[in-house]
Amino acid sequence: MKRTRASTRIKKLNEQNESESPAALEKENEEKNVQKNEKAPKKVVKKIAAKTVEDLESIKDELQQLNDPPSTPWEKEIRKILVRKLDDGTILKGRIVETESYLGIVDKASATYQGKVTLRNIPMYMDPGTIFVYLTYGMYHCFNISSGGEGSSVFLRAVEPLEGIDKMKENRNFKSSSKAPKKACKDFKVHDLCNGPSKLCMALDIKKGHTKYSMCSWKGMWIEEDPKKEEIKIVNCSRIGIDSAGVEWASKPLRFYILGNESVSKRDKKAESSFL
């Protein structure tokens, strides 16, 4: 009898140890997860479906507000003056010296190619002059202006600083996200302040929150005529960083910049040779 009781007790202890072993616990967790997942899909699918419907309805509502925009020559805004008025009243000005054109639904390099519509690219379908700011590499802002044509826009690549230069330097020396000063303040050369898409946004304090503002009505940024009337030469060449769009569209001459201007982000010497 004693042996039988001892055997029974040992058997129970062994079973308990086995049930508490890592393998047993892992198996138990797997079974629980399976049971949990068997119940979860309906809720998850329902939640995702609801979010999708909500997003689509938002897109429809915004698109219904759009009119057929008149053709506005934003592509020809080179040499015009970009004016930025900050919240504290500070005025920053720069001459537009480099742009790229994106031709909308027919342009393989455009975010609206083939009529693609997302919550992100809606500003490109809005009235000419609508601001579209987006992040690249998760940290740098790029600045576009919608233009005439379905889904078309102009990408501002560089401006030549004219007014508020000290403030531009200050903006460049601050991190755009936290406003915390960098470890070392750099004394930028004037032509290096805005000679690139993200540099331009940092110097002029242009952020993603400005998306959908209108250059035609917003009091924080607008375009003026350039009082400087001297003759300029405009280089017409291929756009930058769009090789994924294929050879045909990557090679189209849709980038424009002022020949000889130091604030241009990147020269195309082959295209410039036509002026020699």
Side-chain angles (χ1 to χ4, degrees), residues 44-58:
V44 173
V45 171
K46 187 175 181 180
K47 185 176 181 180
I48 292 174
K51 182 69 169 65
T52 302
V53 170
E54 181 183 338
D55 288 347
L56 288 174
E57 288 302 320
S58 177

Side-chain angles (χ1 to χ4, degrees), residues 3-4 12-14 17 23 36 40 68 80 117 130 137 150 161 167 174 184 188-189 205 211 221 228-229 232 240-241:
R3 180 177 293 180
T4 303
K12 287 182 177 179
L13 288 172
N14 287 335
N17 288 335
K36 185 178 180 181
D68 292 330
K80 297 290 178 70
V117 179
T130 301
Y137 300 113
E150 190 174 2
K167 185 63 177 179
F174 278 73
F188 292 95
K189 293 180 180 179
D205 195 26
T211 289
M221 186 157 57
K228 193 175 181 180
K229 299 300 181 182
I232 61 171
I240 295 174

Side-chain angles (χ1 to χ4, degrees), residues 96-112:
I96 299 172
V97 297
E98 182 182 0
T99 65
E100 289 181 352
S101 289
Y102 286 84
L103 308 184
I105 62 175
V106 299
D107 188 344
K108 287 187 177 181
S110 175
T112 57

